[in-house]
Amino acid sequence: MTTATQGSAEGGEARTDGRADNGYVSETEFPCGLAERLRGTLIDADYTVSGVRDRLGDAAARALAREELVPALRATGGEERLGLLLRLWWLHSPVPERAIRSILPVDELVEADLVTVEETEQGRSVRALVHLGPWELEDGRPGFVVSDPKIRPGSGVVPRHDHVVGAGNASATLSQLIVDGPVERALDVGTGCGVQALHLAARARDVVATDLNPRAVRLAGISLALSGITDARLEQGFLYEPVKDERFDLIVSNPPFVITPDASRYTYRESDLPGDTVCAELVRQAPAQLTEGGWCQILANWVHSDSDDWEDRVGGWVTGTGCSGWVVQRDVQDPAEYVELWLRDSCEHGTPEYTRRYDAWLDYFEREGIKGIGFGWISLRNDVAQDATVRVEELRHEIEQPVGPYLSDVVDGAMTAHRLTDAALLSAHVALAPGVVEERVGLPGAPDPEKIVLRQRDGLRRVARVGTVEAALAGVCDGSMPVGPLLDAIAELLGEDPLAVRERAPQSLRTLISEGFFQVTR
């Protein structure tokens, strides 16, 4: 295990006054009283998700998404409280010391390494050393997320190795995936700025968050304190090491999964473990950290190669763990796309190192036989069962968000279908799942449809092409009768041999149960 250290991106020395050369926050305690006062000031000024949205307006918000600051600076001009706070914490523009001192305890914030005071041509100004963004907690209360300032493309600066990234698209994806609570104990592995710990606080009585990077642990602590969450526990260490003797009802992780030859160049996205090993280890070690029935949910990257199939590769991580679950691939990138994505992430486009790193990264993929990289999620439930099964699939289309409220039903459906023998299935009572509709497609005036499909209007929004027997069953099954007698009646209606229908129907029906089109009621 490596430990992140204070210093520049190239491993330089930290300043003796506790502040890094590029102005990053040092690892010092954040006073509880300061957290309470700062939280109160931010809320009173309406520095909230809705308040910031209304103040910036749509045009400035869209410009910020394009990395353009001018419209937002114009929208937040003057010395009104919310505008000053936005320019300081969100836009990272120096604000007049005189004006900001009337709002914030500047000296205490300087002592805490959250801001610095500078001499400029316009006079003394205050500049933020962190990004402090509003967040909305699960119960609707205002929260706040503290991270390092975003490094903008074209600035000529790249992140330092212990950069703490803010909440982004991946954070949002994971938060939408988390199963509903309540639970007793929850763990956030690789907490970063602490955003997932904020989500867990609404689901769990006891929250623990870990990170290898000591600066991430500190900033996550500030995020939690400013959000009014005072009882979460933060630990420094790699993966499960800080909590190896503990068990949790819910584990979530947005780990450093980037597959790269430069191990631990940036601690927020890379680990010392080769390839996709960090994700494999998170999965393999999860059962030892979970209570019976507990969930582990992670975002992950995995390798595509000629030597194995990705479904077998990722499925192999779970084999023998006793967990049921669901692995979903949402995207696949070729090596060049993948390298370009992460070089943009670290703002290296246009730097002298860009071409060299690009070339070296592609060389690494060629040596390792990596043809593509998959991105998706893994959700496991510790069923402690020898016959536990994990559904592995690719879903590229839009699905209903959040996933968490119906994720258990997806896993239950796959497990039920896996466990049903043909005889048990024919004796089971099934019903068409809520939200499933039948569609028939055919030529005008034709007596029979060219195809019949079942479509889920919500949830995973799957579409399944079915035969006449399955379509007829969908039209009549309501859970009141066993499947077998229903199939006999359908066979008679269609003029088919009932024994032949009973023999072939279980295979297709089992798939439809696994995919959530039918539910077993008893």
Side-chain angles (χ1 to χ4, degrees):
M1 181 182 76
T2 60
T3 303
T5 56
Q6 190 76 10
S8 70
E10 299 301 322
E13 296 295 324
R15 289 169 36 153
T16 57
D17 63 1
R19 184 177 300 145
D21 291 331
N22 61 358
Y24 278 71
V25 174
S26 63
E27 289 104 37
T28 58
E29 288 297 323
F30 189 65
C32 180
L34 177 58
E36 293 176 357
R37 293 198 302 278
L38 181 54
R39 172 178 169 80
T41 298
L42 295 170
I43 293 174
D44 287 345
D46 202 18
Y47 191 74
T48 61
V49 171
S50 60
V52 168
R53 184 190 304 120
D54 292 344
R55 181 57 190 268
L56 287 177
D58 292 340
R62 289 194 296 268
L64 280 175
R66 301 190 300 270
E67 305 293 346
E68 295 291 345
L69 296 179
V70 174
L73 289 170
R74 289 170 60 88
T76 58
E79 295 192 0
E80 179 265 336
R81 284 191 307 168
L82 182 55
L84 284 169
L85 292 171
L86 271 164
R87 295 207 307 278
L88 177 70
W89 296 120
W90 190 284
L91 303 177
H92 304 288
S93 175
V95 296
E97 181 186 23
R98 173 191 53 79
I100 205 67
R101 277 191 181 276
S102 67
I103 304 172
L104 297 175
V106 172
D107 294 334
E108 291 179 71
L109 294 173
V110 169
E111 183 68 21
D113 283 341
L114 297 188
V115 304
T116 185
V117 179
E118 303 172 330
E119 292 286 352
T120 67
E121 293 181 359
Q122 290 76 33
R124 288 170 64 86
S125 297
V126 177
R127 179 173 60 86
L129 300 178
V130 297
H131 180 83
L132 195 166
W135 199 255
E136 190 169 284
L137 302 181
E138 301 283 326
D139 59 6
R141 292 183 299 120
F144 301 93
V145 175
V146 179
S147 62
D148 282 324
K150 183 177 181 179
I151 295 176
R152 300 189 180 277
S155 65
V157 178
V158 298
R160 50 182 289 156
H161 73 286
D162 56 358
H163 180 83
V164 179
V165 71
N169 292 335
S171 302
T173 297
L174 182 56
S175 69
Q176 297 282 297
L177 185 66
I178 302 174
V179 294
D180 287 348
V183 299
E184 280 295 303
R185 307 196 72 219
L187 171 66
D188 177 15
V189 179
T191 191
C193 63
V195 64
Q196 299 306 327
L198 295 181
H199 291 294
L200 293 179
R203 290 174 166 85
R205 181 184 61 81
D206 182 20
V207 175
V208 181
T210 70
D211 203 289
L212 174 64
N213 183 355
R215 294 194 56 262
V217 172
R218 179 175 186 257
L219 293 189
I222 299 175
S223 297
L224 290 164
L226 289 179
S227 300
I229 298 168
T230 59
D231 54 356
R233 190 177 110 222
L234 291 156
E235 299 282 355
Q236 182 191 342
F238 186 59
L239 300 185
Y240 300 118
E241 287 181 2
V243 293
K244 60 184 177 182
D245 297 322
E246 302 180 49
R247 285 184 178 263
F248 300 88
D249 306 296
L250 175 59
I251 298 172
V252 303
S253 182
N254 179 12
F257 54 61
V258 177
I259 300 169
T260 171
D262 294 325
S264 289
R265 184 165 180 242
Y266 298 118
T267 57
Y268 74 88
R269 73 182 198 187
E270 300 152 0
S271 75
D272 281 345
L273 300 178
D276 51 19
T277 305
V278 68
C279 298
E281 287 304 307
L282 268 170
V283 168
R284 289 169 181 154
Q285 295 177 33
Q289 307 293 152
L290 288 171
T291 58
E292 185 170 346
W295 286 89
C296 176
Q297 300 184 271
I298 73 170
L299 301 185
N301 275 186
W302 42 74
V303 165
H304 285 232
S305 69
D306 290 335
S307 61
D308 61 6
D309 185 86
W310 78 268
E311 290 101 329
D312 294 336
R313 181 184 189 85
V314 181
W317 300 348
V318 187
T319 300
T321 62
C323 292
S324 60
W326 189 32
V327 177
V328 176
Q329 180 166 272
R330 294 292 280 164
D331 192 19
V332 182
Q333 291 185 316
D334 65 45
E337 289 177 303
Y338 190 78
V339 173
E340 291 163 14
L341 169 67
W342 293 110
L343 288 177
R344 284 196 305 271
D345 172 77
S346 53
C347 296
E348 294 182 79
H349 194 281
T351 67
E353 289 290 290
Y354 180 82
T355 300
R356 185 187 69 79
R357 291 194 184 280
Y358 197 148
D359 197 42
W361 213 325
L362 292 182
D363 281 345
Y364 165 73
F365 284 155
E366 286 184 9
R367 289 195 306 271
E368 298 297 320
I370 297 173
K371 307 300 183 183
I373 299 90
F375 172 82
W377 64 64
I378 301 172
S379 289
L380 303 176
R381 185 177 61 198
N382 189 25
D383 288 344
V384 197
Q386 291 184 345
D387 66 342
T389 186
V390 175
R391 182 178 178 87
V392 182
E393 63 181 323
E394 182 173 55
L395 293 176
R396 295 289 194 102
H397 63 272
E398 290 295 321
I399 62 178
E400 183 182 2
Q401 299 289 352
V403 178
Y406 61 88
L407 190 143
S408 293
D409 292 337
V410 174
V411 175
D412 287 341
M415 278 295 292
T416 298
H418 173 67
R419 286 172 167 166
L420 282 173
T421 63
D422 286 1
L425 182 53
L426 292 172
S427 300
H429 293 240
V430 303
L432 194 66
V436 175
V437 296
E438 179 190 299
E439 297 177 359
R440 294 176 178 248
V441 180
L443 296 174
D448 298 311
E450 289 186 344
K451 66 178 181 179
I452 308 171
V453 300
L454 298 179
R455 183 183 301 276
Q456 297 169 349
R457 291 182 295 186
D458 48 24
L460 295 180
R461 297 176 179 147
R462 300 184 196 270
V463 177
R465 186 167 181 173
V466 297
T468 53
V469 170
E470 293 80 13
L473 185 62
V476 298
C477 70
D478 58 4
S480 62
M481 289 182 60
V483 169
L486 287 175
L487 290 176
D488 291 343
I490 291 169
E492 184 177 351
L493 180 66
L494 297 176
E496 296 192 36
D497 179 5
L499 290 178
V501 170
R502 278 178 173 252
E503 184 176 343
R504 71 172 188 265
Q507 181 176 352
S508 60
L509 185 54
R510 190 177 290 110
T511 298
L512 292 170
I513 292 171
S514 178
E515 294 182 348
F517 292 96
F518 289 93
Q519 294 177 340
V520 176
T521 59
R522 58 190 171 99

